[in-house]
Amino acid sequence: INEWFYPFHDSMGKIAGILSCAQDVTEQVTARLTAETANATKSAFLANMSHEIRTPLAAILGFSSLLKERSLDTMERERYLDTIIRNGNSLARIIDDILDLAKVEAGRLDLEEVQFSLYDLATDAIELFKDKAKEKDIYLVLSIEDTVPWRICSDPTRLRQVMVNLIGNAVKFTDRGGVRVNVRS
């Protein structure tokens, strides 16, 4: 509450009373705190995205440079190209996530409802992190129960984003053992 007091005097100069005014600023304070929290969240998001963007970009640039080596055999060249493509796709998905966040904030995110292979989507999401898991010497396993339908009707783009974020964080924050992704109906 924002308050102020102002004494007023009689003709003799004695305080005859006090004029007081109070204003409830709870809404303004709450709005300011909400805005500050949103700003801090955005800053943290951008810092994290900066790191997330640099990781696949570094792989793309590094393996592109390695492809210049004339002494590479065909199998190595194919492996490097696969790594570049996989990291390029990962980078594209990160950029899509950032653009989707902007759409969510603007209230313009549209959801799809199409049929697709959940098995293919989950397998693709796992493949993105195979190399990272191998680098960290941890396992990364996908397990899909038989009761799960092969084709489902949903939003594959959003589901892929969720799976990639969950698997990516699991791999990033796992130092021993590994990550098991279980898909159940």
Side-chain angles (χ1 to χ4, degrees), residues 122-153:
T123 302
D124 289 347
I126 287 285
E127 284 300 316
L128 287 173
F129 300 99
K130 285 278 189 182
D131 287 344
K132 186 69 175 171
K134 192 179 219 179
E135 283 174 23
K136 293 182 74 174
D137 197 29
I138 61 174
Y139 63 82
L140 178 57
V141 178
L142 172 63
S143 173
I144 301 178
E145 287 186 357
D146 293 337
T147 57
V148 175
W150 278 78
R151 296 190 65 74
I152 64 171
C153 190

mmCIF file of all heavy atoms in Angstrom, residues 122-153:
data_model
loop_
_atom_site.group_PDB
_atom_site.id
_atom_site.type_symbol
_atom_site.label_atom_id
_atom_site.label_comp_id
_atom_site.label_asym_id
_atom_site.label_seq_id
_atom_site.Cartn_x
_atom_site.Cartn_y
_atom_site.Cartn_z
ATOM 1 N N ALA A 122 9.200 -42.062 -32.547
ATOM 2 C CA ALA A 122 10.021 -42.355 -31.363
ATOM 3 C C ALA A 122 11.425 -42.798 -31.778
ATOM 4 O O ALA A 122 12.419 -42.384 -31.164
ATOM 5 C CB ALA A 122 9.349 -43.427 -30.510
ATOM 6 N N THR A 123 11.520 -43.608 -32.813
ATOM 7 C CA THR A 123 12.824 -44.073 -33.300
ATOM 8 C C THR A 123 13.666 -42.897 -33.792
ATOM 9 O O THR A 123 14.856 -42.802 -33.482
ATOM 10 C CB THR A 123 12.638 -45.116 -34.423
ATOM 11 O OG1 THR A 123 11.867 -46.201 -33.907
ATOM 12 C CG2 THR A 123 13.962 -45.640 -34.925
ATOM 13 N N ASP A 124 13.046 -41.989 -34.543
ATOM 14 C CA ASP A 124 13.761 -40.806 -35.035
ATOM 15 C C ASP A 124 14.254 -39.945 -33.873
ATOM 16 O O ASP A 124 15.379 -39.434 -33.895
ATOM 17 C CB ASP A 124 12.862 -39.950 -35.934
ATOM 18 C CG ASP A 124 12.589 -40.606 -37.280
ATOM 19 O OD1 ASP A 124 13.282 -41.590 -37.628
ATOM 20 O OD2 ASP A 124 11.671 -40.131 -37.983
ATOM 21 N N ALA A 125 13.417 -39.778 -32.845
ATOM 22 C CA ALA A 125 13.808 -38.971 -31.683
ATOM 23 C C ALA A 125 15.006 -39.600 -30.970
ATOM 24 O O ALA A 125 15.943 -38.900 -30.573
ATOM 25 C CB ALA A 125 12.626 -38.818 -30.723
ATOM 26 N N ILE A 126 15.002 -40.908 -30.838
ATOM 27 C CA ILE A 126 16.120 -41.615 -30.190
ATOM 28 C C ILE A 126 17.396 -41.462 -31.023
ATOM 29 O O ILE A 126 18.481 -41.215 -30.482
ATOM 30 C CB ILE A 126 15.780 -43.112 -30.006
ATOM 31 C CG1 ILE A 126 14.759 -43.303 -28.896
ATOM 32 C CG2 ILE A 126 17.012 -43.948 -29.749
ATOM 33 C CD1 ILE A 126 15.305 -43.135 -27.502
ATOM 34 N N GLU A 127 17.275 -41.595 -32.333
ATOM 35 C CA GLU A 127 18.446 -41.527 -33.223
ATOM 36 C C GLU A 127 19.194 -40.206 -33.087
ATOM 37 O O GLU A 127 20.409 -40.168 -33.240
ATOM 38 C CB GLU A 127 18.032 -41.750 -34.678
ATOM 39 C CG GLU A 127 17.742 -43.189 -35.017
ATOM 40 C CD GLU A 127 18.949 -44.102 -34.798
ATOM 41 O OE1 GLU A 127 20.075 -43.727 -35.195
ATOM 42 O OE2 GLU A 127 18.757 -45.181 -34.220
ATOM 43 N N LEU A 128 18.463 -39.125 -32.802
ATOM 44 C CA LEU A 128 19.104 -37.815 -32.666
ATOM 45 C C LEU A 128 20.155 -37.796 -31.565
ATOM 46 O O LEU A 128 21.099 -37.009 -31.610
ATOM 47 C CB LEU A 128 18.052 -36.743 -32.351
ATOM 48 C CG LEU A 128 17.136 -36.321 -33.475
ATOM 49 C CD1 LEU A 128 16.057 -35.399 -32.929
ATOM 50 C CD2 LEU A 128 17.924 -35.626 -34.569
ATOM 51 N N PHE A 129 19.995 -38.665 -30.557
ATOM 52 C CA PHE A 129 20.862 -38.595 -29.386
ATOM 53 C C PHE A 129 21.783 -39.799 -29.240
ATOM 54 O O PHE A 129 22.480 -39.912 -28.235
ATOM 55 C CB PHE A 129 19.995 -38.419 -28.128
ATOM 56 C CG PHE A 129 19.182 -37.154 -28.196
ATOM 57 C CD1 PHE A 129 17.851 -37.202 -28.575
ATOM 58 C CD2 PHE A 129 19.759 -35.926 -27.937
ATOM 59 C CE1 PHE A 129 17.102 -36.041 -28.669
ATOM 60 C CE2 PHE A 129 19.021 -34.764 -28.027
ATOM 61 C CZ PHE A 129 17.686 -34.819 -28.395
ATOM 62 N N LYS A 130 21.797 -40.679 -30.226
ATOM 63 C CA LYS A 130 22.661 -41.871 -30.159
ATOM 64 C C LYS A 130 24.128 -41.489 -30.017
ATOM 65 O O LYS A 130 24.839 -42.036 -29.183
ATOM 66 C CB LYS A 130 22.464 -42.757 -31.401
ATOM 67 C CG LYS A 130 21.188 -43.545 -31.408
ATOM 68 C CD LYS A 130 21.349 -44.787 -30.583
ATOM 69 C CE LYS A 130 20.119 -45.672 -30.787
ATOM 70 N NZ LYS A 130 20.160 -46.854 -29.996
ATOM 71 N N ASP A 131 24.590 -40.561 -30.841
ATOM 72 C CA ASP A 131 25.998 -40.162 -30.797
ATOM 73 C C ASP A 131 26.353 -39.518 -29.458
ATOM 74 O O ASP A 131 27.410 -39.799 -28.889
ATOM 75 C CB ASP A 131 26.330 -39.188 -31.933
ATOM 76 C CG ASP A 131 26.381 -39.871 -33.294
ATOM 77 O OD1 ASP A 131 26.465 -41.111 -33.335
ATOM 78 O OD2 ASP A 131 26.323 -39.154 -34.311
ATOM 79 N N LYS A 132 25.471 -38.658 -28.957
ATOM 80 C CA LYS A 132 25.736 -37.992 -27.679
ATOM 81 C C LYS A 132 25.804 -39.017 -26.553
ATOM 82 O O LYS A 132 26.681 -38.939 -25.687
ATOM 83 C CB LYS A 132 24.633 -36.953 -27.397
ATOM 84 C CG LYS A 132 24.894 -36.114 -26.191
ATOM 85 C CD LYS A 132 26.052 -35.172 -26.428
ATOM 86 C CE LYS A 132 26.231 -34.241 -25.262
ATOM 87 N NZ LYS A 132 27.452 -33.478 -25.359
ATOM 88 N N ALA A 133 24.897 -39.993 -26.578
ATOM 89 C CA ALA A 133 24.910 -41.047 -25.545
ATOM 90 C C ALA A 133 26.201 -41.862 -25.650
ATOM 91 O O ALA A 133 26.826 -42.184 -24.635
ATOM 92 C CB ALA A 133 23.690 -41.944 -25.690
ATOM 93 N N LYS A 134 26.609 -42.144 -26.878
ATOM 94 C CA LYS A 134 27.839 -42.917 -27.085
ATOM 95 C C LYS A 134 29.055 -42.140 -26.567
ATOM 96 O O LYS A 134 29.930 -42.708 -25.913
ATOM 97 C CB LYS A 134 27.987 -43.229 -28.571
ATOM 98 C CG LYS A 134 29.028 -44.241 -28.900
ATOM 99 C CD LYS A 134 29.051 -44.483 -30.407
ATOM 100 C CE LYS A 134 29.267 -45.934 -30.685
ATOM 101 N NZ LYS A 134 29.268 -46.233 -32.120
ATOM 102 N N GLU A 135 29.091 -40.832 -26.845
ATOM 103 C CA GLU A 135 30.183 -39.981 -26.353
ATOM 104 C C GLU A 135 30.271 -40.013 -24.835
ATOM 105 O O GLU A 135 31.361 -39.987 -24.263
ATOM 106 C CB GLU A 135 29.958 -38.519 -26.770
ATOM 107 C CG GLU A 135 30.263 -38.190 -28.190
ATOM 108 C CD GLU A 135 29.859 -36.752 -28.523
ATOM 109 O OE1 GLU A 135 29.765 -35.907 -27.597
ATOM 110 O OE2 GLU A 135 29.616 -36.484 -29.713
ATOM 111 N N LYS A 136 29.118 -40.037 -24.175
ATOM 112 C CA LYS A 136 29.079 -40.019 -22.714
ATOM 113 C C LYS A 136 29.215 -41.419 -22.118
ATOM 114 O O LYS A 136 29.221 -41.566 -20.904
ATOM 115 C CB LYS A 136 27.766 -39.386 -22.240
ATOM 116 C CG LYS A 136 27.652 -37.907 -22.582
ATOM 117 C CD LYS A 136 26.366 -37.323 -22.042
ATOM 118 C CE LYS A 136 26.505 -37.163 -20.537
ATOM 119 N NZ LYS A 136 25.377 -36.466 -19.916
ATOM 120 N N ASP A 137 29.310 -42.418 -22.994
ATOM 121 C CA ASP A 137 29.433 -43.812 -22.568
ATOM 122 C C ASP A 137 28.239 -44.238 -21.705
ATOM 123 O O ASP A 137 28.404 -44.860 -20.659
ATOM 124 C CB ASP A 137 30.753 -44.051 -21.836
ATOM 125 C CG ASP A 137 31.090 -45.538 -21.751
ATOM 126 O OD1 ASP A 137 30.675 -46.294 -22.653
ATOM 127 O OD2 ASP A 137 31.751 -45.940 -20.771
ATOM 128 N N ILE A 138 27.039 -43.843 -22.163
ATOM 129 C CA ILE A 138 25.805 -44.273 -21.512
ATOM 130 C C ILE A 138 24.941 -44.957 -22.572
ATOM 131 O O ILE A 138 25.123 -44.735 -23.772
ATOM 132 C CB ILE A 138 25.034 -43.097 -20.877
ATOM 133 C CG1 ILE A 138 24.624 -42.052 -21.925
ATOM 134 C CG2 ILE A 138 25.833 -42.475 -19.740
ATOM 135 C CD1 ILE A 138 23.732 -40.944 -21.400
ATOM 136 N N TYR A 139 24.016 -45.782 -22.121
ATOM 137 C CA TYR A 139 23.134 -46.438 -23.089
ATOM 138 C C TYR A 139 21.900 -45.572 -23.335
ATOM 139 O O TYR A 139 21.521 -44.743 -22.507
ATOM 140 C CB TYR A 139 22.743 -47.847 -22.638
ATOM 141 C CG TYR A 139 21.943 -47.926 -21.363
ATOM 142 C CD1 TYR A 139 20.561 -47.724 -21.365
ATOM 143 C CD2 TYR A 139 22.561 -48.212 -20.145
ATOM 144 C CE1 TYR A 139 19.828 -47.797 -20.202
ATOM 145 C CE2 TYR A 139 21.826 -48.289 -18.972
ATOM 146 C CZ TYR A 139 20.454 -48.086 -19.007
ATOM 147 O OH TYR A 139 19.731 -48.147 -17.854
ATOM 148 N N LEU A 140 21.301 -45.766 -24.497
ATOM 149 C CA LEU A 140 20.058 -45.083 -24.860
ATOM 150 C C LEU A 140 19.192 -46.118 -25.560
ATOM 151 O O LEU A 140 19.545 -46.596 -26.640
ATOM 152 C CB LEU A 140 20.337 -43.888 -25.775
ATOM 153 C CG LEU A 140 19.126 -43.106 -26.288
ATOM 154 C CD1 LEU A 140 18.272 -42.585 -25.138
ATOM 155 C CD2 LEU A 140 19.572 -41.953 -27.171
ATOM 156 N N VAL A 141 18.101 -46.493 -24.929
ATOM 157 C CA VAL A 141 17.271 -47.599 -25.405
ATOM 158 C C VAL A 141 15.825 -47.144 -25.549
ATOM 159 O O VAL A 141 15.303 -46.418 -24.700
ATOM 160 C CB VAL A 141 17.340 -48.774 -24.400
ATOM 161 C CG1 VAL A 141 16.444 -49.913 -24.839
ATOM 162 C CG2 VAL A 141 18.762 -49.246 -24.227
ATOM 163 N N LEU A 142 15.194 -47.599 -26.616
ATOM 164 C CA LEU A 142 13.772 -47.354 -26.842
ATOM 165 C C LEU A 142 13.031 -48.662 -26.672
ATOM 166 O O LEU A 142 13.401 -49.680 -27.259
ATOM 167 C CB LEU A 142 13.534 -46.802 -28.254
ATOM 168 C CG LEU A 142 12.076 -46.663 -28.700
ATOM 169 C CD1 LEU A 142 11.335 -45.660 -27.817
ATOM 170 C CD2 LEU A 142 12.027 -46.240 -30.164
ATOM 171 N N SER A 143 11.981 -48.643 -25.867
ATOM 172 C CA SER A 143 11.160 -49.819 -25.641
ATOM 173 C C SER A 143 9.699 -49.439 -25.873
ATOM 174 O O SER A 143 9.168 -48.561 -25.181
ATOM 175 C CB SER A 143 11.362 -50.324 -24.210
ATOM 176 O OG SER A 143 10.456 -51.355 -23.923
ATOM 177 N N ILE A 144 9.078 -50.070 -26.865
ATOM 178 C CA ILE A 144 7.673 -49.796 -27.164
ATOM 179 C C ILE A 144 6.877 -51.072 -26.916
ATOM 180 O O ILE A 144 7.150 -52.101 -27.533
ATOM 181 C CB ILE A 144 7.480 -49.319 -28.622
ATOM 182 C CG1 ILE A 144 8.303 -48.046 -28.875
ATOM 183 C CG2 ILE A 144 6.002 -49.075 -28.909
ATOM 184 C CD1 ILE A 144 8.224 -47.524 -30.288
ATOM 185 N N GLU A 145 5.910 -50.997 -25.998
ATOM 186 C CA GLU A 145 5.102 -52.171 -25.674
ATOM 187 C C GLU A 145 4.239 -52.579 -26.863
ATOM 188 O O GLU A 145 3.841 -51.741 -27.679
ATOM 189 C CB GLU A 145 4.214 -51.887 -24.457
ATOM 190 C CG GLU A 145 4.982 -51.836 -23.164
ATOM 191 C CD GLU A 145 4.075 -51.706 -21.955
ATOM 192 O OE1 GLU A 145 2.839 -51.604 -22.112
ATOM 193 O OE2 GLU A 145 4.624 -51.703 -20.835
ATOM 194 N N ASP A 146 3.945 -53.866 -26.930
ATOM 195 C CA ASP A 146 3.133 -54.411 -28.027
ATOM 196 C C ASP A 146 1.727 -53.818 -28.073
ATOM 197 O O ASP A 146 1.094 -53.804 -29.133
ATOM 198 C CB ASP A 146 3.029 -55.933 -27.904
ATOM 199 C CG ASP A 146 4.370 -56.614 -28.125
ATOM 200 O OD1 ASP A 146 5.244 -55.999 -28.772
ATOM 201 O OD2 ASP A 146 4.542 -57.754 -27.647
ATOM 202 N N THR A 147 1.232 -53.339 -26.947
ATOM 203 C CA THR A 147 -0.132 -52.790 -26.906
ATOM 204 C C THR A 147 -0.239 -51.403 -27.535
ATOM 205 O O THR A 147 -1.337 -50.903 -27.740
ATOM 206 C CB THR A 147 -0.628 -52.709 -25.443
ATOM 207 O OG1 THR A 147 0.286 -51.909 -24.697
ATOM 208 C CG2 THR A 147 -0.753 -54.097 -24.831
ATOM 209 N N VAL A 148 0.890 -50.776 -27.831
ATOM 210 C CA VAL A 148 0.887 -49.439 -28.427
ATOM 211 C C VAL A 148 0.561 -49.561 -29.911
ATOM 212 O O VAL A 148 1.209 -50.319 -30.637
ATOM 213 C CB VAL A 148 2.257 -48.740 -28.239
ATOM 214 C CG1 VAL A 148 2.290 -47.409 -28.969
ATOM 215 C CG2 VAL A 148 2.565 -48.554 -26.762
ATOM 216 N N PRO A 149 -0.450 -48.819 -30.381
ATOM 217 C CA PRO A 149 -0.781 -48.882 -31.814
ATOM 218 C C PRO A 149 0.381 -48.337 -32.661
ATOM 219 O O PRO A 149 1.050 -47.391 -32.258
ATOM 220 C CB PRO A 149 -2.005 -47.981 -31.953
ATOM 221 C CG PRO A 149 -2.322 -47.431 -30.623
ATOM 222 C CD PRO A 149 -1.313 -47.924 -29.641
ATOM 223 N N TRP A 150 0.578 -48.933 -33.830
ATOM 224 C CA TRP A 150 1.661 -48.480 -34.716
ATOM 225 C C TRP A 150 1.360 -47.108 -35.290
ATOM 226 O O TRP A 150 2.258 -46.319 -35.510
ATOM 227 C CB TRP A 150 1.888 -49.492 -35.842
ATOM 228 C CG TRP A 150 2.743 -50.611 -35.358
ATOM 229 C CD1 TRP A 150 2.353 -51.667 -34.583
ATOM 230 C CD2 TRP A 150 4.136 -50.767 -35.556
ATOM 231 N NE1 TRP A 150 3.422 -52.469 -34.302
ATOM 232 C CE2 TRP A 150 4.533 -51.947 -34.901
ATOM 233 C CE3 TRP A 150 5.104 -50.037 -36.234
ATOM 234 C CZ2 TRP A 150 5.846 -52.395 -34.895
ATOM 235 C CZ3 TRP A 150 6.397 -50.492 -36.242
ATOM 236 C CH2 TRP A 150 6.759 -51.663 -35.566
ATOM 237 N N ARG A 151 0.094 -46.828 -35.537
ATOM 238 C CA ARG A 151 -0.299 -45.523 -36.073
ATOM 239 C C ARG A 151 -1.267 -44.879 -35.087
ATOM 240 O O ARG A 151 -2.147 -45.537 -34.557
ATOM 241 C CB ARG A 151 -0.934 -45.644 -37.442
ATOM 242 C CG ARG A 151 0.060 -46.190 -38.469
ATOM 243 C CD ARG A 151 -0.444 -46.117 -39.887
ATOM 244 N NE ARG A 151 -0.659 -44.790 -40.425
ATOM 245 C CZ ARG A 151 0.306 -43.931 -40.799
ATOM 246 N NH1 ARG A 151 1.559 -44.273 -40.680
ATOM 247 N NH2 ARG A 151 0.008 -42.755 -41.290
ATOM 248 N N ILE A 152 -1.055 -43.593 -34.840
ATOM 249 C CA ILE A 152 -1.961 -42.858 -33.977
ATOM 250 C C ILE A 152 -2.381 -41.566 -34.677
ATOM 251 O O ILE A 152 -1.768 -41.164 -35.673
ATOM 252 C CB ILE A 152 -1.324 -42.524 -32.601
ATOM 253 C CG1 ILE A 152 -0.122 -41.599 -32.755
ATOM 254 C CG2 ILE A 152 -0.964 -43.799 -31.857
ATOM 255 C CD1 ILE A 152 0.421 -41.049 -31.445
ATOM 256 N N CYS A 153 -3.399 -40.928 -34.144
ATOM 257 C CA CYS A 153 -3.878 -39.653 -34.679
ATOM 258 C C CYS A 153 -3.603 -38.587 -33.619
ATOM 259 O O CYS A 153 -4.176 -38.636 -32.531
ATOM 260 C CB CYS A 153 -5.370 -39.760 -34.999
ATOM 261 S SG CYS A 153 -5.977 -38.356 -35.923
#
